[in-house]
């Protein structure tokens, strides 16, 4: 939440890049040998933890490809002695027809997430630049206000915002969801980008200013290339947050297949057909697949964003 | 509405937004001279200021006001809604559950994350080991809830009926009889908390692992020369050095936990006495049509995070001052 996190190098995805001091190879080897002797229990424990953490997801994945009859009569672990695979459930949930079809909701999730990432990033880029490098009165006070807004619970804002949307005739459209996600993301986005911007050496900007560059030029020609990792980090943040959101979508979109994202559809499926495991498991996997793909592909940036300033609650 | 229609609408929205940004940049680049700084700041901050004022400040104040009104928002009832929260037995259960969530989740998740970070530090395949624990972070709360509902799934204990939920199968193999994990309070709340811990441990592990790697090598070396062993190293060197990171992790998970809504709604719908403040807010506001009580619950949520806001602002001020 604050910059108190020690400035550590990004880790996930890459191997540990700890700087090994020049140690005499003999002691190093002895050290390693000692470590290997003392740590089998530690390693075992780590393996057990990793196994426990992965098992629930793995179980659901196996379930989603088993025939409906098998799912309802035996545990997923019997799959290994009695393997029978079907992709029917995925076909059912991905179709755009029928009450179990999540295809339309899947499209909605994409339509919701793209502007909801683009808009706050762009606005936060302008605002954090102003806070970091434009000199004006009341700057630090205003920044603290924006920072503090980060912790206003979304719940507090929902009903008045809904009333505003109804009055403006926007209720039940994508506009309400785009706007809401953008608003809720701004404080954190500004905070994170501001932290990155302050790390850029002052001399770089002063040199550009001497060359006659204005603020707009400095922002786009000088800072932008340096900020790409930060923008990517926040973009992934926001992508995961919006894609995984239920509360905002449920409040502003209701359950309408015209606008509601896939999380809403899955939550409804879980509520009304709690035992339809064949549809639930496949549906849940479809909804999980996109963020996991994004996460795995861009893990490094995501972790860096996490380390730069905490996480949105 | 067809998919093409939806994407066209999205494209239009993006184009409109980019046009607005274009205008802002054009205007900002026109300012010259001594007062330019002020005007550039104003144009850059204008859209953010507007959105934040309309979307966070106004609604926040409005909700606080509404919490003093009755169910329909018509007449002033003073602190009656707050009195309900602290006297009604259903609401007291909600409070008890929220306390359980907020006390257990951050500490257990942080402890597991810290333990794991230490165990895998400099181990072989560290990156893979981290990814496995971190992956639940990418899964939506809804998806995670479905995953865990399946772990807790119950089948009646009859001949010829197999358990399909992992936990009950383990219980049965050990000679016990299957249980309905999400039915009996207060245990059901604990089983929901497990889901949140499962999600958040990866976050704790990532931040703490980075903090551990940032512990200066020469301090570790000096302690080793003094004969400090593994456990002592953790107690006297690692833990004090990473204390600020531990606090950040605790508060961040604490805030996330206070606002948890999706897990409870998807897994139990708040039934069987599992509701928490964030979920109760939704039920009261949108299902029971009691806007006053809903607003009071939301305000309470806000009051609960204020100490954390204050703490973080102080942290921020002290780092700004350096």
């Amino acid at each position: 939440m604050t910059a108190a996190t020690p400035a550590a190098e990004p880790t996930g995805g890459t191997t540990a890049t700890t700087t090994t001091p020049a140690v005499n190879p003999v002691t190093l080897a002895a050290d390693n040998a000692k470590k290997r002797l003392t740590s089998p229990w530690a390693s075992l424990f780590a393996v057990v933890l990793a196994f426990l953490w992965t098992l629930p997801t793995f179980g659901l994945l196996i379930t989603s490809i088993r025939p409906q009859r098998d799912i309802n009569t035996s545990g997923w672990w019997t799959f290994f002695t009695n393997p029978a695979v079907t992709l029917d459930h995925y076909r059912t949930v991905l179709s755009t027809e029928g009450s179990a079809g999540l295809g339309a909701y899947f499209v909605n999730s994409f339509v919701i997430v793209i502007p909801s990432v683009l808009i706050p990033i762009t606005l936060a880029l302008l605002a954090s630049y102003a806070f970091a490098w434009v000199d004006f009165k009341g700057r630090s006070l205003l920044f603290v206000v924006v920072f503090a807004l980060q912790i206003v619970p979304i719940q507090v804002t929902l009903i008045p915002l809904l009333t505003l949307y109804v009055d403006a005739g926007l209720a039940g459209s994508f506009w309400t969801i785009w706007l809401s996600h953008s608003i809720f993301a701004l404080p954190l986005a500004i905070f994170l980008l501001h932290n990155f911007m302050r790390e850029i050496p002052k001399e770089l900007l002063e040199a550009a200013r001497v060359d006659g560059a204005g603020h707009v030029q400095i922002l786009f020609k000088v800072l932008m290339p340096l900020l790409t990792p930060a923008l990517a980090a926040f973009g992934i943040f926001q992508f995961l947050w919006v894609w995984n959101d239920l509360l905002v979508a449920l409040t502003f979109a209701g359950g309408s297949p015209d606008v509601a994202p896939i999380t809403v559809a899955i939550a409804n499926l879980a509520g009304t057909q709690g035992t339809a495991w064949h549809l639930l498991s496949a549906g849940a996997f479809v909804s999980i697949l996109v963020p996991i793909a994004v996460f795995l592909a861009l893990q490094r940036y995501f972790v860096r964003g996490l380390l730069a300033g905490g996480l949105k609650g | 509405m067809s998919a093409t229609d939806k994407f066209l609408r999205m494209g239009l929205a993006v184009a409109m937004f980019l046009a607005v940004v274009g205008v802002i940049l054009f205007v900002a680049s026109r300012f010259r001279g001594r007062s330019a700084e002020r005007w550039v700041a104003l144009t850059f901050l204008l859209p953010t200021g507007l959105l934040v004022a309309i979307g966070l400040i106004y609604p926040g104040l409005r909700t606080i006001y509404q919490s003093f009104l009755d169910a329909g928002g018509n007449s002033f009832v003073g602190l009656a809604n707050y009195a309900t929260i602290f006297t009604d037995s259903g609401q007291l259960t909600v409070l008890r559950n929220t306390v359980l969530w907020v006390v257990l989740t951050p500490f257990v998740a942080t402890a597991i994350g810290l333990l794991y970070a230490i165990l895998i530090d400099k181990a072989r395949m560290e990156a893979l080991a981290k990814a496995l624990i971190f992956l639940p972070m990418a899964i939506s709360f809804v998806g995670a809830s479905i995953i865990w509902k399946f772990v807790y799934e119950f089948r009646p204990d009859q001949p010829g009926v197999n358990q399909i939920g992992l936990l009950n199968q383990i219980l049965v193999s050990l000679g016990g009889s299957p249980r309905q994990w999400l039915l009996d309070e207060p245990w059901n709340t604990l089983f929901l908390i497990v889901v949140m811990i499962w999600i958040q441990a990866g976050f704790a592990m990532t931040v703490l692992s980075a903090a551990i790697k940032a512990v200066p090598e020469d301090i570790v070396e000096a302690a080793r020369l003094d004969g400090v062993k593994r456990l002592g190293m953790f107690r006297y060197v690692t833990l004090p050095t990473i204390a600020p990171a531990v606090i950040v992790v605790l508060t961040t998970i604490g805030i996330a936990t206070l606002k948890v809504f999706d897990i409870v709604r998807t897994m139990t719908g708040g039934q069987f006495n599992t509701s928490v403040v964030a979920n109760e807010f939704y039920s009261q506001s949108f299902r029971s049509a009691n806007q006053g009580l809903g607003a009071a619950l939301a305000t309470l949520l806000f009051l609960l995070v204020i100490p954390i806001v204050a703490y973080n602002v102080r942290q921020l001020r002290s780092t700004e001052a350096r």
Side-chain angles (χ1 to χ4, degrees), chain B residues 119-133:
Chain B
L119 290 180
I120 58 154
D121 194 39
K122 291 173 195 164
R124 265 181 304 158
M125 298 200 292
E126 187 179 339
L128 175 72
K130 279 182 172 171
L132 287 180
I133 301 285

Side-chain angles (χ1 to χ4, degrees), chain B residues 106-150:
Chain B
F107 287 100
V108 178
T110 307
I112 293 177
L114 180 60
L115 182 67
Y116 194 76
I118 292 169
L119 290 180
I120 58 154
D121 194 39
K122 291 173 195 164
R124 265 181 304 158
M125 298 200 292
E126 187 179 339
L128 175 72
K130 279 182 172 171
L132 287 180
I133 301 285
F134 195 40
L135 211 56
M137 282 281 298
I139 298 175
S140 65
F141 285 0
V142 175
S145 304
I146 305 285
I147 288 174
W148 280 88
K149 258 183 100 143
F150 195 60

Side-chain angles (χ1 to χ4, degrees), chain A residues 2 72-73 108 135 156 215, chain B residues 6 37 63 155 162 198 312:
Chain A
T2 68
N72 290 327
T73 54
N108 293 345
D135 206 20
V156 173
H215 282 298
Chain B
K6 290 176 186 170
E37 295 277 298
T63 297
R155 285 290 140 106
N162 298 313
W198 181 71
N312 280 284

Side-chain angles (χ1 to χ4, degrees), chain A residues 215-246:
Chain A
H215 282 298
V216 175
Q217 279 168 308
I218 291 178
L219 176 55
F220 282 89
K221 296 216 172 107
V222 182
L223 292 185
M224 201 61 158
L226 300 169
L227 283 174
T228 315
L231 294 173
F234 180 75
I236 302 155
F237 242 138
Q238 179 67 1
F239 185 98
L240 293 180
W241 154 251
V242 172
W243 187 277
N244 290 338
D245 158 76
L246 176 65

